[in-house]
Amino acid sequence: MAKSYDHLFKLLLIGDSGVGKTCLVIRFAERSFAGTYISTIGIDFKIRTVEVEGKKVKLQVWDTAGQERFKTITTAYYRGAMGIILVYDITDERSFENIQNWMKSIKENASAGVERLLLGNKCDMESKRKVPRERAEKLAKEHGIRFFETSAKASVNVEEAFHALAGDILLKSTRKLGQSPKEHLDLDSSEKRRGSKCAVI
Ligand code: GTP
Ligand code: MG
């Protein structure tokens, strides 16, 4: 049987417990949101195929538990990831401060050259914001990675974030193969412009 996709990318979400990793994965893969909170045990994954630059890209999205007690299990999955999404909660300063530790964990456990993406989730809760957007933008810039504020609940920037990451990985893989290196994917400039905006509800 013919393959139903051109590329398979493995993505991984990491970040403190409760920041909304599972909700982001469910929003992206199933286009829904459930308000009930069930903390992830160990690791789980969902799949969605998207089209990027005319290519069918199958995304295998691994959702990790943020709780410390699952560290040993979850870090074992870093190595196989081509893209890692670091998530914090804009209403929880500690979850943002911990991004440094998650970055360190990537350095220690992931493959060199893994694409990273920073997400500030729960941007629908503007009145409870503790982390100014500028702080996260600065951090992302220091690490040379993309940044979006997202809401799994209100469906803000979730599509954009996953597409941008898939696009970056695709660009990197085609460059490696020496095929028509493009400086910018079509989604690149528009997503970068829209990247940090978050609708307040
Ligand atoms: P662990 O599995 O323990 O690592 O947590 P997690 O990061 O997977 O968090 P989860 O997705 O389970 O969400 C935690 C809580 O935050 C739940 O009560 C969600 O309903 C809520 N939540 C997630 N995303 C959003 C969001 O975008 N906006 C708001 N307001 N709440 C959210
Ligand atoms: Mg979870």
Side-chain angles (χ1 to χ4, degrees):
M1 213 173 86
K3 235 177 19 176
S4 57
Y5 56 87
D6 302 304
H7 300 274
L8 171 67
F9 294 160
K10 292 177 188 172
L11 311 181
L12 187 81
L13 278 90
I14 60 174
D16 283 7
S17 181
V19 297
K21 298 179 297 297
T22 300
C23 289
L24 285 164
V25 173
I26 291 173
R27 166 62 69 196
F28 177 66
E30 296 169 1
R31 298 173 179 86
S32 64
F33 178 81
T36 46
Y37 179 27
I38 303 166
S39 198
T40 305
I41 305 286
I43 190 142
D44 197 3
F45 79 93
K46 295 213 178 290
I47 285 180
R48 184 175 150 196
T49 303
V50 294
E51 199 159 310
V52 185
E53 289 285 291
K55 300 276 181 206
K56 279 206 168 64
V57 179
K58 185 170 175 172
L59 299 176
Q60 200 179 81
V61 186
W62 291 86
D63 173 27
T64 63
Q67 287 179 50
E68 186 70 31
R69 64 191 169 114
F70 297 113
K71 242 336 173 349
T72 315
I73 307 170
T74 55
T75 49
Y77 286 81
Y78 283 40
R79 188 72 58 201
M82 298 153 93
I84 297 184
I85 303 176
L86 297 117
V87 189
Y88 70 93
D89 172 353
I90 69 152
T91 72
D92 176 1
E93 176 137 27
R94 212 193 140 96
S95 73
F96 178 71
E97 280 157 8
N98 268 336
I99 288 294
Q100 296 285 11
N101 297 326
W102 292 108
M103 288 278 193
K104 202 166 146 241
S105 199
I106 293 177
K107 228 178 185 173
E108 288 164 358
N109 299 290
S111 305
V114 64
E115 281 291 330
R116 293 166 302 162
L117 169 71
L118 179 65
L119 299 185
N121 191 41
K122 307 194 188 180
C123 73
D124 55 285
M125 298 211 285
E126 186 59 44
S127 61
K128 294 205 171 125
R129 178 190 286 274
K130 296 275 160 45
V131 184
R133 177 181 298 163
E134 297 71 32
R135 257 184 90 187
E137 274 170 352
K138 188 166 169 271
L139 182 72
K141 210 170 170 194
E142 280 165 14
H143 286 273
I145 63 176
R146 278 185 205 263
F147 164 64
F148 291 88
E149 285 196 339
T150 58
S151 169
K153 186 177 183 181
S155 190
V156 177
N157 277 341
V158 180
E159 285 288 308
E160 287 82 352
F162 278 92
H163 272 85
L165 182 58
D168 287 343
I169 298 170
L170 183 66
L171 187 66
K172 198 176 244 178
S173 64
T174 50
R175 270 207 188 122
K176 253 190 211 150
L177 294 170
Q179 297 167 349
S180 61
K182 279 197 208 167
E183 280 315 310
H184 296 285
L185 287 176
D186 290 345
L187 59 84
D188 204 53
S189 53
S190 61
E191 299 308 346
K192 260 187 183 153
R193 266 200 313 275
R194 283 195 289 157
S196 57
K197 280 203 198 97
C198 179
V200 182
I201 300 155

